[in-house]
mmCIF file of all heavy atoms in Angstrom:
data_model
loop_
_atom_site.group_PDB
_atom_site.id
_atom_site.type_symbol
_atom_site.label_atom_id
_atom_site.label_comp_id
_atom_site.label_asym_id
_atom_site.label_seq_id
_atom_site.Cartn_x
_atom_site.Cartn_y
_atom_site.Cartn_z
ATOM 1 N N LEU A 1218 30.067 133.453 38.620
ATOM 2 C CA LEU A 1218 30.197 134.660 39.518
ATOM 3 C C LEU A 1218 30.550 134.235 40.940
ATOM 4 O O LEU A 1218 31.218 134.953 41.681
ATOM 5 C CB LEU A 1218 28.950 135.460 39.460
ATOM 6 C CG LEU A 1218 28.723 136.224 38.190
ATOM 7 C CD1 LEU A 1218 27.366 136.906 38.176
ATOM 8 C CD2 LEU A 1218 29.810 137.263 37.965
ATOM 9 N N ARG A 1220 32.424 131.846 41.574
ATOM 10 C CA ARG A 1220 33.670 131.177 41.459
ATOM 11 C C ARG A 1220 33.556 129.670 41.705
ATOM 12 O O ARG A 1220 34.340 129.016 42.348
ATOM 13 C CB ARG A 1220 34.758 131.717 42.381
ATOM 14 C CG ARG A 1220 34.927 133.195 42.087
ATOM 15 C CD ARG A 1220 35.978 133.848 42.873
ATOM 16 N NE ARG A 1220 36.002 135.276 42.526
ATOM 17 C CZ ARG A 1220 36.781 135.784 41.577
ATOM 18 N NH1 ARG A 1220 37.565 135.056 40.851
ATOM 19 N NH2 ARG A 1220 36.731 137.076 41.295
ATOM 20 N N THR A 1273 36.872 118.805 56.904
ATOM 21 C CA THR A 1273 38.283 118.431 56.871
ATOM 22 C C THR A 1273 39.121 119.610 56.508
ATOM 23 O O THR A 1273 38.602 120.684 56.216
ATOM 24 C CB THR A 1273 38.506 117.293 55.833
ATOM 25 O OG1 THR A 1273 38.430 117.868 54.518
ATOM 26 C CG2 THR A 1273 37.569 116.184 55.987
ATOM 27 N N ARG A 1274 40.462 119.348 56.446
ATOM 28 C CA ARG A 1274 41.356 120.439 56.061
ATOM 29 C C ARG A 1274 41.578 120.433 54.540
ATOM 30 O O ARG A 1274 42.461 121.139 54.037
ATOM 31 C CB ARG A 1274 42.598 120.394 56.846
ATOM 32 C CG ARG A 1274 42.440 120.938 58.241
ATOM 33 C CD ARG A 1274 43.484 120.439 59.180
ATOM 34 N NE ARG A 1274 43.010 120.597 60.577
ATOM 35 C CZ ARG A 1274 43.192 121.693 61.293
ATOM 36 N NH1 ARG A 1274 43.812 122.731 60.793
ATOM 37 N NH2 ARG A 1274 42.724 121.767 62.513
ATOM 38 N N ALA A 1341 14.008 133.689 37.785
ATOM 39 C CA ALA A 1341 13.288 134.933 37.566
ATOM 40 C C ALA A 1341 12.669 135.408 38.903
ATOM 41 O O ALA A 1341 12.776 136.582 39.213
ATOM 42 C CB ALA A 1341 12.235 134.685 36.512
ATOM 43 N N PHE A 1344 15.572 136.401 41.539
ATOM 44 C CA PHE A 1344 16.742 137.102 40.936
ATOM 45 C C PHE A 1344 17.477 137.945 41.968
ATOM 46 O O PHE A 1344 18.676 137.809 42.123
ATOM 47 C CB PHE A 1344 16.186 137.963 39.778
ATOM 48 C CG PHE A 1344 17.330 138.750 39.170
ATOM 49 C CD1 PHE A 1344 18.256 138.137 38.330
ATOM 50 C CD2 PHE A 1344 17.399 140.120 39.329
ATOM 51 C CE1 PHE A 1344 19.302 138.845 37.723
ATOM 52 C CE2 PHE A 1344 18.415 140.869 38.706
ATOM 53 C CZ PHE A 1344 19.334 140.229 37.954
ATOM 54 N N LYS A 1345 16.704 138.700 42.747
ATOM 55 C CA LYS A 1345 17.319 139.615 43.703
ATOM 56 C C LYS A 1345 18.053 138.805 44.827
ATOM 57 O O LYS A 1345 19.159 139.127 45.170
ATOM 58 C CB LYS A 1345 16.224 140.524 44.230
ATOM 59 C CG LYS A 1345 16.314 140.890 45.691
ATOM 60 C CD LYS A 1345 15.116 141.837 46.050
ATOM 61 C CE LYS A 1345 14.504 141.574 47.395
ATOM 62 N NZ LYS A 1345 13.370 140.706 47.393
ATOM 63 N N GLU A 1346 17.421 137.688 45.243
ATOM 64 C CA GLU A 1346 18.049 136.873 46.281
ATOM 65 C C GLU A 1346 19.303 136.200 45.807
ATOM 66 O O GLU A 1346 20.353 136.195 46.464
ATOM 67 C CB GLU A 1346 17.040 135.823 46.753
ATOM 68 C CG GLU A 1346 15.897 136.340 47.622
ATOM 69 C CD GLU A 1346 14.833 137.100 46.938
ATOM 70 O OE1 GLU A 1346 14.828 137.113 45.667
ATOM 71 O OE2 GLU A 1346 13.977 137.719 47.573
ATOM 72 N N LYS A 1348 21.198 137.185 43.364
ATOM 73 C CA LYS A 1348 22.208 138.216 43.100
ATOM 74 C C LYS A 1348 22.969 138.551 44.372
ATOM 75 O O LYS A 1348 24.204 138.557 44.403
ATOM 76 C CB LYS A 1348 21.551 139.468 42.521
ATOM 77 C CG LYS A 1348 22.545 140.617 42.269
ATOM 78 C CD LYS A 1348 21.980 141.712 41.463
ATOM 79 C CE LYS A 1348 20.904 142.452 42.208
ATOM 80 N NZ LYS A 1348 20.340 143.591 41.418
ATOM 81 N N LEU A 1349 22.221 138.804 45.450
ATOM 82 C CA LEU A 1349 22.884 139.157 46.743
ATOM 83 C C LEU A 1349 23.651 137.962 47.258
ATOM 84 O O LEU A 1349 24.779 138.125 47.788
ATOM 85 C CB LEU A 1349 21.849 139.635 47.734
ATOM 86 C CG LEU A 1349 22.506 140.201 49.085
ATOM 87 C CD1 LEU A 1349 23.507 141.223 48.810
ATOM 88 C CD2 LEU A 1349 21.317 140.744 49.961
ATOM 89 N N PHE A 1352 26.872 137.958 45.349
ATOM 90 C CA PHE A 1352 27.787 139.113 45.546
ATOM 91 C C PHE A 1352 28.316 139.192 46.977
ATOM 92 O O PHE A 1352 29.437 139.343 47.205
ATOM 93 C CB PHE A 1352 26.992 140.446 45.240
ATOM 94 C CG PHE A 1352 27.796 141.663 45.569
ATOM 95 C CD1 PHE A 1352 29.012 141.931 44.922
ATOM 96 C CD2 PHE A 1352 27.316 142.616 46.449
ATOM 97 C CE1 PHE A 1352 29.743 143.058 45.190
ATOM 98 C CE2 PHE A 1352 28.023 143.755 46.731
ATOM 99 C CZ PHE A 1352 29.253 143.981 46.094
ATOM 100 N N ASP A 1353 27.398 139.037 47.988
ATOM 101 C CA ASP A 1353 27.804 139.274 49.353
ATOM 102 C C ASP A 1353 27.013 138.313 50.302
ATOM 103 O O ASP A 1353 26.079 138.838 50.940
ATOM 104 C CB ASP A 1353 27.565 140.767 49.714
ATOM 105 C CG ASP A 1353 28.272 141.120 50.979
ATOM 106 O OD1 ASP A 1353 28.753 140.271 51.715
ATOM 107 O OD2 ASP A 1353 28.362 142.352 51.243
ATOM 108 N N GLU A 1355 27.560 137.037 53.117
ATOM 109 C CA GLU A 1355 27.531 137.347 54.552
ATOM 110 C C GLU A 1355 26.527 138.435 54.858
ATOM 111 O O GLU A 1355 25.813 138.346 55.816
ATOM 112 C CB GLU A 1355 28.950 137.822 54.948
ATOM 113 C CG GLU A 1355 29.312 137.458 56.382
ATOM 114 C CD GLU A 1355 30.797 137.374 56.512
ATOM 115 O OE1 GLU A 1355 31.411 138.460 56.360
ATOM 116 O OE2 GLU A 1355 31.324 136.296 56.803
ATOM 117 N N PHE A 1356 26.468 139.452 54.044
ATOM 118 C CA PHE A 1356 25.496 140.519 54.209
ATOM 119 C C PHE A 1356 24.097 139.937 54.053
ATOM 120 O O PHE A 1356 23.190 140.253 54.811
ATOM 121 C CB PHE A 1356 25.734 141.665 53.160
ATOM 122 C CG PHE A 1356 24.835 142.813 53.381
ATOM 123 C CD1 PHE A 1356 25.049 143.754 54.392
ATOM 124 C CD2 PHE A 1356 23.701 142.971 52.576
ATOM 125 C CE1 PHE A 1356 24.212 144.794 54.574
ATOM 126 C CE2 PHE A 1356 22.826 144.039 52.728
ATOM 127 C CZ PHE A 1356 23.077 145.006 53.745
ATOM 128 N N ALA A 1358 23.150 136.957 54.721
ATOM 129 C CA ALA A 1358 22.765 136.253 55.985
ATOM 130 C C ALA A 1358 22.392 137.251 57.065
ATOM 131 O O ALA A 1358 21.454 137.014 57.827
ATOM 132 C CB ALA A 1358 23.966 135.369 56.403
ATOM 133 N N SER A 1359 23.097 138.405 57.121
ATOM 134 C CA SER A 1359 22.881 139.360 58.233
ATOM 135 C C SER A 1359 21.486 139.970 58.087
ATOM 136 O O SER A 1359 20.905 140.406 59.050
ATOM 137 C CB SER A 1359 23.969 140.419 58.240
ATOM 138 O OG SER A 1359 23.655 141.484 57.304
ATOM 139 N N ILE A 1360 20.925 140.065 56.893
ATOM 140 C CA ILE A 1360 19.584 140.635 56.772
ATOM 141 C C ILE A 1360 18.517 139.535 56.725
ATOM 142 O O ILE A 1360 17.386 139.801 56.423
ATOM 143 C CB ILE A 1360 19.460 141.581 55.538
ATOM 144 C CG1 ILE A 1360 19.683 140.797 54.238
ATOM 145 C CG2 ILE A 1360 20.321 142.731 55.639
ATOM 146 C CD1 ILE A 1360 19.328 141.628 52.999
ATOM 147 N N GLY A 1361 18.904 138.306 57.075
ATOM 148 C CA GLY A 1361 17.957 137.285 57.241
ATOM 149 C C GLY A 1361 17.627 136.365 56.085
ATOM 150 O O GLY A 1361 16.740 135.539 56.145
ATOM 151 N N PRO A 1363 17.915 133.033 54.107
ATOM 152 C CA PRO A 1363 18.351 131.756 54.494
ATOM 153 C C PRO A 1363 19.441 131.301 53.514
ATOM 154 O O PRO A 1363 19.184 130.523 52.599
ATOM 155 C CB PRO A 1363 17.104 130.882 54.393
ATOM 156 C CG PRO A 1363 16.214 131.620 53.372
ATOM 157 C CD PRO A 1363 16.592 133.079 53.449
ATOM 158 N N ARG A 1403 30.042 137.846 30.281
ATOM 159 C CA ARG A 1403 30.575 138.805 31.238
ATOM 160 C C ARG A 1403 31.446 139.864 30.527
ATOM 161 O O ARG A 1403 31.472 141.038 30.976
ATOM 162 C CB ARG A 1403 31.490 138.108 32.271
ATOM 163 C CG ARG A 1403 32.117 138.992 33.321
ATOM 164 C CD ARG A 1403 31.074 139.546 34.279
ATOM 165 N NE ARG A 1403 31.633 140.573 35.155
ATOM 166 C CZ ARG A 1403 31.678 141.860 34.891
ATOM 167 N NH1 ARG A 1403 31.249 142.360 33.732
ATOM 168 N NH2 ARG A 1403 32.170 142.730 35.765
ATOM 169 N N ASN A 1407 28.150 145.022 32.069
ATOM 170 C CA ASN A 1407 28.376 145.220 33.478
ATOM 171 C C ASN A 1407 27.128 145.104 34.316
ATOM 172 O O ASN A 1407 26.996 145.578 35.414
ATOM 173 C CB ASN A 1407 28.958 146.624 33.745
ATOM 174 C CG ASN A 1407 30.458 146.650 33.362
ATOM 175 O OD1 ASN A 1407 31.157 145.651 33.542
ATOM 176 N ND2 ASN A 1407 30.931 147.748 32.824
ATOM 177 N N ARG A 1408 26.036 144.499 33.640
ATOM 178 C CA ARG A 1408 24.794 144.326 34.395
ATOM 179 C C ARG A 1408 24.512 142.833 34.492
ATOM 180 O O ARG A 1408 24.563 142.135 33.509
ATOM 181 C CB ARG A 1408 23.603 144.956 33.665
ATOM 182 C CG ARG A 1408 23.732 146.443 33.447
ATOM 183 C CD ARG A 1408 23.348 147.203 34.722
ATOM 184 N NE ARG A 1408 23.260 148.626 34.506
ATOM 185 C CZ ARG A 1408 24.336 149.407 34.346
ATOM 186 N NH1 ARG A 1408 25.553 148.882 34.434
ATOM 187 N NH2 ARG A 1408 24.218 150.710 34.164
ATOM 188 N N LEU A 1409 24.104 142.363 35.660
ATOM 189 C CA LEU A 1409 23.855 140.957 35.857
ATOM 190 C C LEU A 1409 22.688 140.489 34.959
ATOM 191 O O LEU A 1409 22.812 139.423 34.327
ATOM 192 C CB LEU A 1409 23.527 140.665 37.350
ATOM 193 C CG LEU A 1409 23.235 139.231 37.647
ATOM 194 C CD1 LEU A 1409 24.421 138.327 37.282
ATOM 195 C CD2 LEU A 1409 22.838 139.041 39.085
ATOM 196 N N ARG A 1461 36.434 145.356 28.027
ATOM 197 C CA ARG A 1461 37.209 144.264 28.567
ATOM 198 C C ARG A 1461 38.059 143.495 27.590
ATOM 199 O O ARG A 1461 38.841 142.654 28.004
ATOM 200 C CB ARG A 1461 36.237 143.280 29.339
ATOM 201 C CG ARG A 1461 35.589 143.909 30.535
ATOM 202 C CD ARG A 1461 34.538 142.997 31.077
ATOM 203 N NE ARG A 1461 35.026 141.997 31.977
ATOM 204 C CZ ARG A 1461 35.109 142.165 33.325
ATOM 205 N NH1 ARG A 1461 34.644 143.303 33.885
ATOM 206 N NH2 ARG A 1461 35.565 141.241 34.121
ATOM 207 N N ARG B 976 37.000 124.578 65.048
ATOM 208 C CA ARG B 976 37.602 123.252 65.390
ATOM 209 C C ARG B 976 37.940 123.314 66.882
ATOM 210 O O ARG B 976 37.070 123.544 67.697
ATOM 211 C CB ARG B 976 38.816 122.942 64.523
ATOM 212 C CG ARG B 976 38.427 122.863 63.040
ATOM 213 C CD ARG B 976 39.183 121.760 62.356
ATOM 214 N NE ARG B 976 38.578 121.566 61.050
ATOM 215 C CZ ARG B 976 38.817 122.316 60.001
ATOM 216 N NH1 ARG B 976 39.671 123.293 60.041
ATOM 217 N NH2 ARG B 976 38.222 122.121 58.841
ATOM 218 N N LYS B 1009 30.583 139.054 64.119
ATOM 219 C CA LYS B 1009 29.860 138.058 63.346
ATOM 220 C C LYS B 1009 29.010 137.169 64.288
ATOM 221 O O LYS B 1009 28.001 136.648 63.897
ATOM 222 C CB LYS B 1009 30.800 137.169 62.522
ATOM 223 C CG LYS B 1009 31.298 137.941 61.266
ATOM 224 C CD LYS B 1009 32.262 137.136 60.489
ATOM 225 C CE LYS B 1009 32.875 137.993 59.351
ATOM 226 N NZ LYS B 1009 33.943 137.331 58.652
ATOM 227 N N LEU B 1014 26.244 135.127 62.423
ATOM 228 C CA LEU B 1014 26.861 134.620 61.150
ATOM 229 C C LEU B 1014 27.817 133.494 61.407
ATOM 230 O O LEU B 1014 28.210 132.797 60.514
ATOM 231 C CB LEU B 1014 27.637 135.749 60.487
ATOM 232 C CG LEU B 1014 26.802 136.889 59.954
ATOM 233 C CD1 LEU B 1014 27.701 137.981 59.401
ATOM 234 C CD2 LEU B 1014 25.806 136.474 58.940
ATOM 235 N N TYR B 1029 18.819 138.133 68.088
ATOM 236 C CA TYR B 1029 19.106 138.866 66.833
ATOM 237 C C TYR B 1029 18.105 138.609 65.812
ATOM 238 O O TYR B 1029 17.683 139.534 65.096
ATOM 239 C CB TYR B 1029 20.503 138.360 66.301
ATOM 240 C CG TYR B 1029 20.856 139.022 64.964
ATOM 241 C CD1 TYR B 1029 21.325 140.296 64.971
ATOM 242 C CD2 TYR B 1029 20.678 138.365 63.804
ATOM 243 C CE1 TYR B 1029 21.597 140.917 63.739
ATOM 244 C CE2 TYR B 1029 20.942 138.970 62.565
ATOM 245 C CZ TYR B 1029 21.396 140.228 62.584
ATOM 246 O OH TYR B 1029 21.698 140.838 61.378
ATOM 247 N N ARG B 1033 16.416 141.804 63.861
ATOM 248 C CA ARG B 1033 17.239 141.958 62.678
ATOM 249 C C ARG B 1033 17.078 143.308 62.005
ATOM 250 O O ARG B 1033 18.056 143.979 61.540
ATOM 251 C CB ARG B 1033 16.939 140.880 61.714
ATOM 252 C CG ARG B 1033 17.887 140.617 60.673
ATOM 253 C CD ARG B 1033 17.392 139.419 59.867
ATOM 254 N NE ARG B 1033 17.895 138.155 60.316
ATOM 255 C CZ ARG B 1033 17.215 137.039 60.356
ATOM 256 N NH1 ARG B 1033 15.974 137.033 60.009
ATOM 257 N NH2 ARG B 1033 17.777 135.931 60.800
ATOM 258 N N TYR B 1038 24.830 146.557 58.808
ATOM 259 C CA TYR B 1038 26.167 145.892 58.769
ATOM 260 C C TYR B 1038 26.993 146.361 57.652
ATOM 261 O O TYR B 1038 26.574 146.431 56.497
ATOM 262 C CB TYR B 1038 25.860 144.355 58.717
ATOM 263 C CG TYR B 1038 27.096 143.504 58.613
ATOM 264 C CD1 TYR B 1038 28.224 143.764 59.386
ATOM 265 C CD2 TYR B 1038 27.116 142.319 57.870
ATOM 266 C CE1 TYR B 1038 29.346 142.931 59.300
ATOM 267 C CE2 TYR B 1038 28.199 141.478 57.792
ATOM 268 C CZ TYR B 1038 29.348 141.788 58.537
ATOM 269 O OH TYR B 1038 30.396 140.948 58.476
ATOM 270 N N VAL B 1045 34.145 140.960 49.403
ATOM 271 C CA VAL B 1045 33.354 140.710 48.202
ATOM 272 C C VAL B 1045 34.166 140.924 46.929
ATOM 273 O O VAL B 1045 35.272 141.496 46.988
ATOM 274 C CB VAL B 1045 32.110 141.628 48.112
ATOM 275 C CG1 VAL B 1045 31.274 141.481 49.330
ATOM 276 C CG2 VAL B 1045 32.496 143.050 47.896
ATOM 277 N N ASP B 1046 33.698 140.442 45.817
ATOM 278 C CA ASP B 1046 34.343 140.572 44.534
ATOM 279 C C ASP B 1046 33.848 141.872 43.858
ATOM 280 O O ASP B 1046 32.701 141.907 43.413
ATOM 281 C CB ASP B 1046 34.017 139.362 43.701
ATOM 282 C CG ASP B 1046 34.502 139.469 42.242
ATOM 283 O OD1 ASP B 1046 35.375 140.375 42.014
ATOM 284 O OD2 ASP B 1046 34.042 138.744 41.394
ATOM 285 N N ASP B 1048 34.510 143.023 41.146
ATOM 286 C CA ASP B 1048 34.316 142.896 39.685
ATOM 287 C C ASP B 1048 32.924 142.353 39.368
ATOM 288 O O ASP B 1048 32.676 142.005 38.209
ATOM 289 C CB ASP B 1048 35.410 142.057 39.059
ATOM 290 C CG ASP B 1048 35.491 142.251 37.569
ATOM 291 O OD1 ASP B 1048 35.233 143.354 37.113
ATOM 292 O OD2 ASP B 1048 35.800 141.294 36.871
ATOM 293 N N PRO B 1050 29.246 142.017 38.234
ATOM 294 C CA PRO B 1050 28.552 142.947 37.272
ATOM 295 C C PRO B 1050 27.382 143.657 37.855
ATOM 296 O O PRO B 1050 26.221 143.232 37.755
ATOM 297 C CB PRO B 1050 28.108 141.969 36.207
ATOM 298 C CG PRO B 1050 27.971 140.618 36.862
ATOM 299 C CD PRO B 1050 29.009 140.602 37.945
ATOM 300 N N THR B 1051 27.609 144.733 38.534
ATOM 301 C CA THR B 1051 26.501 145.554 39.062
ATOM 302 C C THR B 1051 26.927 147.006 39.284
ATOM 303 O O THR B 1051 28.069 147.300 39.176
ATOM 304 C CB THR B 1051 25.986 144.959 40.370
ATOM 305 O OG1 THR B 1051 24.792 145.603 40.757
ATOM 306 C CG2 THR B 1051 26.997 145.130 41.515
ATOM 307 N N THR B 1052 25.977 147.881 39.552
ATOM 308 C CA THR B 1052 26.288 149.304 39.677
ATOM 309 C C THR B 1052 26.286 149.704 41.166
ATOM 310 O O THR B 1052 25.785 148.988 41.996
ATOM 311 C CB THR B 1052 25.237 150.144 38.973
ATOM 312 O OG1 THR B 1052 23.959 149.930 39.571
ATOM 313 C CG2 THR B 1052 25.201 149.866 37.473
ATOM 314 N N ASP B 1055 22.844 149.940 42.657
ATOM 315 C CA ASP B 1055 22.260 148.598 42.836
ATOM 316 C C ASP B 1055 22.782 148.046 44.205
ATOM 317 O O ASP B 1055 22.054 147.462 44.975
ATOM 318 C CB ASP B 1055 22.671 147.690 41.703
ATOM 319 C CG ASP B 1055 21.835 146.445 41.652
ATOM 320 O OD1 ASP B 1055 20.577 146.561 41.948
ATOM 321 O OD2 ASP B 1055 22.337 145.329 41.348
ATOM 322 N N MET B 1059 20.682 147.071 47.842
ATOM 323 C CA MET B 1059 20.731 145.782 48.527
ATOM 324 C C MET B 1059 20.472 145.942 50.032
ATOM 325 O O MET B 1059 20.025 145.059 50.713
ATOM 326 C CB MET B 1059 22.077 145.116 48.330
ATOM 327 C CG MET B 1059 22.302 144.580 46.968
ATOM 328 S SD MET B 1059 23.933 143.918 46.676
ATOM 329 C CE MET B 1059 23.941 143.567 44.929
ATOM 330 N N TYR B 1062 16.862 145.113 50.728
ATOM 331 C CA TYR B 1062 16.378 143.833 50.354
ATOM 332 C C TYR B 1062 15.667 143.128 51.512
ATOM 333 O O TYR B 1062 14.639 142.447 51.363
ATOM 334 C CB TYR B 1062 17.468 142.877 49.857
ATOM 335 C CG TYR B 1062 17.882 143.084 48.448
ATOM 336 C CD1 TYR B 1062 17.472 144.221 47.721
ATOM 337 C CD2 TYR B 1062 18.785 142.219 47.803
ATOM 338 C CE1 TYR B 1062 17.866 144.404 46.386
ATOM 339 C CE2 TYR B 1062 19.144 142.397 46.463
ATOM 340 C CZ TYR B 1062 18.734 143.532 45.797
ATOM 341 O OH TYR B 1062 19.131 143.730 44.526
ATOM 342 N N GLY B 1063 16.198 143.283 52.702
ATOM 343 C CA GLY B 1063 15.595 142.654 53.928
ATOM 344 C C GLY B 1063 14.157 143.156 54.141
ATOM 345 O O GLY B 1063 13.266 142.365 54.374
ATOM 346 N N GLY B 1066 11.421 141.950 51.365
ATOM 347 C CA GLY B 1066 10.885 140.577 51.476
ATOM 348 C C GLY B 1066 11.112 139.774 50.209
ATOM 349 O O GLY B 1066 11.714 140.231 49.270
ATOM 350 N N TRP B 1067 10.558 138.592 50.184
ATOM 351 C CA TRP B 1067 10.796 137.658 49.074
ATOM 352 C C TRP B 1067 10.272 138.170 47.732
ATOM 353 O O TRP B 1067 9.254 138.840 47.717
ATOM 354 C CB TRP B 1067 10.184 136.304 49.322
ATOM 355 C CG TRP B 1067 10.914 135.554 50.369
ATOM 356 C CD1 TRP B 1067 10.572 135.543 51.740
ATOM 357 C CD2 TRP B 1067 12.137 134.845 50.280
ATOM 358 N NE1 TRP B 1067 11.518 134.807 52.385
ATOM 359 C CE2 TRP B 1067 12.459 134.359 51.566
ATOM 360 C CE3 TRP B 1067 12.960 134.543 49.157
ATOM 361 C CZ2 TRP B 1067 13.550 133.598 51.776
ATOM 362 C CZ3 TRP B 1067 14.088 133.785 49.405
ATOM 363 C CH2 TRP B 1067 14.360 133.294 50.667
ATOM 364 N N ILE B 1068 10.954 137.864 46.675
ATOM 365 C CA ILE B 1068 10.499 138.046 45.337
ATOM 366 C C ILE B 1068 10.355 139.523 44.880
ATOM 367 O O ILE B 1068 10.767 139.851 43.785
ATOM 368 C CB ILE B 1068 9.148 137.260 45.026
ATOM 369 C CG1 ILE B 1068 9.486 135.749 45.224
ATOM 370 C CG2 ILE B 1068 8.623 137.534 43.670
ATOM 371 C CD1 ILE B 1068 8.254 134.878 45.195
ATOM 372 N N ARG B 1069 9.786 140.382 45.749
ATOM 373 C CA ARG B 1069 9.579 141.771 45.303
ATOM 374 C C ARG B 1069 10.951 142.434 44.930
ATOM 375 O O ARG B 1069 11.899 142.314 45.604
ATOM 376 C CB ARG B 1069 8.945 142.559 46.459
ATOM 377 C CG ARG B 1069 7.467 142.656 46.328
ATOM 378 C CD ARG B 1069 6.883 143.602 47.388
ATOM 379 N NE ARG B 1069 7.320 144.941 47.216
ATOM 380 C CZ ARG B 1069 7.382 145.838 48.220
ATOM 381 N NH1 ARG B 1069 7.097 145.477 49.442
ATOM 382 N NH2 ARG B 1069 7.755 147.077 47.983
ATOM 383 N N ARG B 1070 10.873 143.207 43.815
ATOM 384 C CA ARG B 1070 12.077 143.917 43.344
ATOM 385 C C ARG B 1070 12.075 145.304 43.830
ATOM 386 O O ARG B 1070 10.989 145.878 44.068
ATOM 387 C CB ARG B 1070 12.159 143.860 41.805
ATOM 388 C CG ARG B 1070 12.019 142.560 41.157
ATOM 389 C CD ARG B 1070 13.355 141.895 41.040
ATOM 390 N NE ARG B 1070 13.236 140.609 40.401
ATOM 391 C CZ ARG B 1070 13.277 140.355 39.104
ATOM 392 N NH1 ARG B 1070 13.547 141.359 38.281
ATOM 393 N NH2 ARG B 1070 13.167 139.142 38.614
ATOM 394 N N GLN B 1095 29.821 151.212 37.182
ATOM 395 C CA GLN B 1095 30.149 149.780 37.494
ATOM 396 C C GLN B 1095 31.068 149.778 38.712
ATOM 397 O O GLN B 1095 31.927 150.630 38.803
ATOM 398 C CB GLN B 1095 30.769 149.179 36.246
ATOM 399 C CG GLN B 1095 31.783 148.083 36.480
ATOM 400 C CD GLN B 1095 31.140 146.788 36.991
ATOM 401 O OE1 GLN B 1095 29.911 146.696 36.940
ATOM 402 N NE2 GLN B 1095 31.894 145.891 37.526
ATOM 403 N N ARG B 1111 25.135 151.672 51.730
ATOM 404 C CA ARG B 1111 24.220 150.506 51.827
ATOM 405 C C ARG B 1111 23.727 150.308 53.213
ATOM 406 O O ARG B 1111 22.508 149.998 53.448
ATOM 407 C CB ARG B 1111 24.989 149.222 51.332
ATOM 408 C CG ARG B 1111 24.070 148.046 51.391
ATOM 409 C CD ARG B 1111 24.777 146.799 50.787
ATOM 410 N NE ARG B 1111 25.781 146.302 51.609
ATOM 411 C CZ ARG B 1111 26.475 145.189 51.399
ATOM 412 N NH1 ARG B 1111 26.203 144.445 50.327
ATOM 413 N NH2 ARG B 1111 27.439 144.760 52.204
ATOM 414 N N GLN B 1115 19.794 150.729 55.157
ATOM 415 C CA GLN B 1115 19.165 149.748 56.063
ATOM 416 C C GLN B 1115 18.357 150.460 57.113
ATOM 417 O O GLN B 1115 17.529 149.839 57.790
ATOM 418 C CB GLN B 1115 20.183 148.823 56.737
ATOM 419 C CG GLN B 1115 20.835 147.850 55.819
ATOM 420 C CD GLN B 1115 21.702 146.871 56.509
ATOM 421 O OE1 GLN B 1115 22.901 147.094 56.769
ATOM 422 N NE2 GLN B 1115 21.172 145.730 56.876
#
Side-chain angles (χ1 to χ4, degrees):
Chain A
L1218 289 174
R1220 303 185 180 268
T1273 70
R1274 281 159 202 273
F1344 178 70
K1345 143 179 141 266
E1346 284 77 8
K1348 178 168 68 178
L1349 186 52
F1352 174 60
D1353 195 347
E1355 211 155 65
F1356 183 79
S1359 85
I1360 62 172
R1403 179 67 187 92
N1407 284 325
R1408 299 281 188 285
L1409 180 61
R1461 295 172 84 94
Chain B
R976 298 219 168 80
K1009 285 178 188 172
L1014 295 176
Y1029 177 77
R1033 199 176 267 142
Y1038 177 39
V1045 305
D1046 172 18
D1048 197 33
T1051 189
T1052 61
D1055 197 38
M1059 290 174 186
Y1062 280 10
W1067 289 97
I1068 297 171
R1069 265 186 66 206
R1070 306 272 179 93
Q1095 150 69 13
R1111 180 175 71 175
Q1115 290 187 274

